[in-house]
Amino acid sequence: YTHLVSHTFSLSLSLSFFGVHHHLLLSLTSAQYIYIYTLEKVLDEIKQNSKVKFKESDLFRVYQSIDLGNIKNDSEMAKELPSLMKLKSALYSSTYRSFVEQITNLEPNTLTDQVDCAANCHTKGCHLLCHDDVIGTRKVSYIIYLTDPDTAWTDVDGGRLELYDNFDEEKDDDDDDDDDDDDKKGKSDKDEAISNNGRKVPGVIPCKTILPTFNSLAYFVVTPGVSFHSVQEVFCDRPRLSIQGWYHAKEAPSDIENATLNRLKSTAKGEDTEGSFMPLSQIVDNGNEKKAAAVAAAAASSKDDDES
């Protein structure tokens, strides 16, 4: 793994598998400092030259850039983010996609070349509640952590990636309570199949948590009703920066009806709040993290005024 990784973009990898409780860190070669330097350049470019939009719903609160797949290589934006563009190309290269298929036990050529990723910034109070990430053809989810390399991220800062076990959903016996024994015996096999629909639910507490350490990557296979995860609320005034994205398969999973997205109540307005794009440097530079909270509050206030 280390050999192959060192020929792409060479991050140390935090490997997280649902249902298998272990955490594996793959260290790099003696040239690791070169790749750390490259990631520091990516971090600097994102902080100084990217723009993000504040987004908030019942599920998440985050600042997010545009989809990096929409940035053309010959565009002005790409010229301001050269290291990030190289990283994106490496991530979605056929060589690295093949590597991802190997370490996730997927069949060769499962993953397509569709680019789907963005820069995320979680400031104080930002979070992501438990869900399984299943939308459309998503197959593998990954997160590259770009937190401050000079000041280690610790437990008191919050922002851990949280992984959950899954359990069979208990069927609802409320209707059975009103039936007599004869009625229960008369239930058809079809009714039993509907009651025991095979859906999964997450555990109450995480079975594994991972700190967002600079120069590390966490990933998991996206599976309906199985790949439950969340992001702990950020408690500190430092930004939790990352590149988060997905590798896609050719087709959506056959059991997509069990995905958390399909089980959430839909709302007519969609996201509760969504601001306009702003330079990320306004949020993360010169101690301006507190400004993020003010911007978020202003966006929420504007929404409330519109609704009233």
Side-chain angles (χ1 to χ4, degrees):
Y1 294 166
T2 302
H3 174 75
L4 184 54
V5 175
S6 65
H7 281 75
T8 54
F9 64 94
S10 299
L11 290 171
S12 53
L13 302 181
S14 299
L15 309 184
S16 307
F17 302 93
F18 293 94
V20 180
H21 311 312
H22 65 270
H23 182 64
L24 176 63
L25 184 66
L26 299 183
S27 299
L28 300 179
T29 66
S30 58
Q32 182 176 10
Y33 71 93
I34 297 177
Y35 303 112
I36 291 178
Y37 174 69
T38 300
L39 278 183
E40 287 180 339
K41 290 173 64 177
V42 171
L43 173 58
D44 185 64
E45 289 175 3
I46 290 176
K47 290 173 65 174
Q48 300 303 322
N49 299 326
S50 67
K51 292 184 178 181
V52 294
K53 178 182 289 188
F54 174 72
K55 295 185 176 183
E56 182 179 36
S57 73
D58 291 340
L59 185 65
F60 57 79
R61 181 187 179 99
V62 66
Y63 291 85
Q64 188 173 74
S65 74
I66 66 169
D67 188 333
L68 301 183
N70 294 330
I71 303 178
K72 304 301 182 183
N73 291 332
D74 58 351
S75 66
E76 289 300 318
M77 184 176 295
K79 293 177 182 178
E80 295 180 345
L81 303 166
S83 298
L84 179 59
M85 293 300 98
K86 291 179 181 178
L87 175 58
K88 181 185 73 171
S89 296
L91 284 169
Y92 290 93
S93 66
S94 59
T95 301
Y96 195 75
R97 294 202 313 273
S98 177
F99 169 67
V100 172
E101 290 167 348
Q102 291 178 47
I103 60 177
T104 54
N105 294 320
L106 297 176
E107 292 293 327
N109 301 315
T110 295
L111 305 178
T112 70
D113 61 358
Q114 178 179 343
V115 177
D116 185 3
C117 59
N120 285 351
C121 177
H122 288 81
T123 59
K124 189 173 184 178
C126 288
H127 60 272
L128 175 64
L129 299 183
C130 186
H131 65 297
D132 61 16
D133 249 16
V134 176
I135 295 179
T137 58
R138 290 177 180 176
K139 191 63 178 179
V140 176
S141 179
Y142 69 88
I143 312 96
I144 302 172
Y145 295 115
L146 297 174
T147 48
D148 185 355
D150 297 323
T151 305
W153 198 276
T154 65
D155 281 330
V156 297
D157 297 322
R160 276 182 171 268
L161 173 64
E162 301 173 318
L163 309 178
Y164 296 81
D165 265 337
N166 61 84
F167 302 93
D168 291 333
E169 184 178 47
E170 295 182 3
K171 72 173 185 177
D172 188 356
D173 291 330
D174 290 344
D175 294 336
D176 290 343
D177 293 340
D178 298 329
D179 297 334
D180 57 28
D181 291 341
D182 290 338
D183 289 336
K184 291 180 182 179
K185 292 178 181 178
K187 292 183 72 175
S188 67
D189 291 340
K190 181 178 179 181
D191 291 333
E192 282 294 332
I194 293 175
S195 297
N196 299 281
N197 51 32
R199 294 197 309 196
K200 303 286 186 179
V201 293
V204 177
I205 59 175
C207 64
K208 181 69 181 180
T209 64
I210 301 172
L211 278 174
T213 303
F214 178 78
N215 189 42
S216 64
L217 181 153
Y219 74 87
F220 51 84
V221 175
V222 175
T223 307
V226 174
S227 50
F228 293 116
H229 64 286
S230 61
V231 174
Q232 180 189 26
E233 180 180 349
V234 174
F235 303 134
C236 63
D237 289 328
R238 295 189 293 139
R240 180 190 186 272
L241 289 172
S242 65
I243 296 173
Q244 199 276 320
W246 298 270
Y247 293 100
H248 285 254
K250 298 178 180 67
E251 298 179 352
S254 58
D255 54 347
I256 195 170
E257 70 275 4
N258 292 334
T260 50
L261 179 65
N262 288 358
R263 296 158 67 180
L264 292 173
K265 293 182 179 179
S266 60
T267 58
K269 293 187 177 181
E271 293 182 351
D272 295 334
T273 1
E274 184 169 324
S276 57
F277 280 104
M278 69 187 78
L280 183 59
S281 58
Q282 291 184 6
I283 301 172
V284 302
D285 281 354
N286 303 319
N288 283 337
E289 290 85 357
K290 293 182 180 180
K291 185 174 182 179
V295 173
S301 176
S302 175
K303 175 186 76 74
D304 293 340
D305 292 342
D306 292 341
E307 291 178 349
S308 62

